[in-house]
Amino acid sequence: MSEREVHSGEELKALTHPLRVRMLAVLRADGPATATELARLFATDTGATSYHLRKLAQYGFVEEIAVDGHPRARHWQAVHATTTWKNTEVGATPEGRTAADWMRRRQAGILQADVESFEQLQDTLPPEWIDAAGIGDLLVKLSAESVNKLWERFYSHVEELKARDADNAEARRVSVVVAGFPRPEAS
């Protein structure tokens, strides 16, 4: 799967419904599913999941696929592994800026949930996973060009490591959340 770059606030807004963004995440992580399977997973009704899947499909985030052995069941799959956008482009409208703000807060919420989950599970994890898990922060002085280069190299390296560990029985799903925001200048 590839990357999907969103170019308008309207496109990004399609992801800002809590059920839609969660369904897309599950389809990306677990593969194709039916509206019924997603409804069961999210404790909602099939009508709601069907509606939101069609909305995601309207903007090219998911697509319907045929699955062997299930000629009548409608299966849906994510079209892209990730979604990106340029803040200046999407944020050119109030609707787009609100959508981008919502998505950033959503990502921060995922980080918080991952930290809380780790804290609850760490007594059950092998020592190598306890040591590998973590969070860090750096405050560095970089140009916008260097930050963009950092993103490029980071994501490229993640793809290399993902490919290397594709068949590794020791590999687990790992949530990686990264951020880079300019700080106000000190007075």
Side-chain angles (χ1 to χ4, degrees):
M1 277 197 287
S2 62
E3 175 181 281
R4 163 74 191 279
E5 186 171 344
V6 170
H7 296 284
S8 73
E10 182 181 353
E11 289 175 280
L12 189 59
K13 186 178 177 189
L15 290 179
T16 62
H17 187 281
L19 182 57
R20 282 184 212 147
V21 74
R22 289 169 57 212
M23 288 191 311
L24 181 59
V26 164
L27 293 173
R28 285 176 172 168
D30 299 338
T34 65
T36 302
E37 291 166 338
L38 293 169
R40 195 171 22 253
L41 178 66
F42 294 115
T44 189
D45 63 89
T46 303
T49 54
S50 292
Y51 169 79
H52 290 298
L53 285 165
R54 287 191 306 275
K55 199 54 119 168
L56 288 169
Q58 176 184 344
Y59 289 95
F61 294 104
V62 302
E63 64 186 359
E64 194 175 339
I65 60 164
V67 174
D68 292 339
H70 301 329
R72 293 181 349 148
R74 296 175 74 176
H75 284 77
W76 298 86
Q77 73 177 7
V79 178
H80 309 94
T82 59
T83 303
T84 64
W85 62 89
K86 286 188 173 66
N87 287 315
T88 53
E89 186 176 31
V90 169
T93 66
E95 175 183 62
R97 187 170 183 168
T98 298
D101 292 349
W102 188 92
M103 291 298 289
R104 281 188 290 275
R105 284 190 196 84
R106 167 91 176 138
Q107 291 165 327
I110 290 169
L111 174 60
Q112 181 176 346
D114 288 341
V115 169
E116 291 169 359
S117 176
F118 172 76
E119 289 169 351
Q120 291 175 356
L121 294 174
Q122 65 183 328
D123 290 337
T124 66
L125 292 170
E128 63 271 16
W129 277 106
I130 294 170
D131 289 339
I135 189 168
D137 64 301
L138 301 169
L139 186 57
V140 296
K141 191 170 184 175
L142 298 173
S143 66
E145 179 183 356
S146 293
V147 172
N148 282 321
K149 181 56 84 174
L150 177 66
W151 291 129
E152 181 184 310
R153 288 184 181 171
F154 173 81
Y155 285 112
S156 174
H157 194 59
V158 167
E159 288 302 314
E160 288 173 27
L161 295 173
K162 195 169 89 173
R164 185 186 80 181
D165 288 344
D167 297 324
N168 184 338
E170 301 292 318
R172 292 179 137 187
R173 281 190 187 162
V174 175
S175 177
V176 178
V177 180
V178 295
F181 296 103
R183 291 255 179 109
E185 291 297 324
S187 34

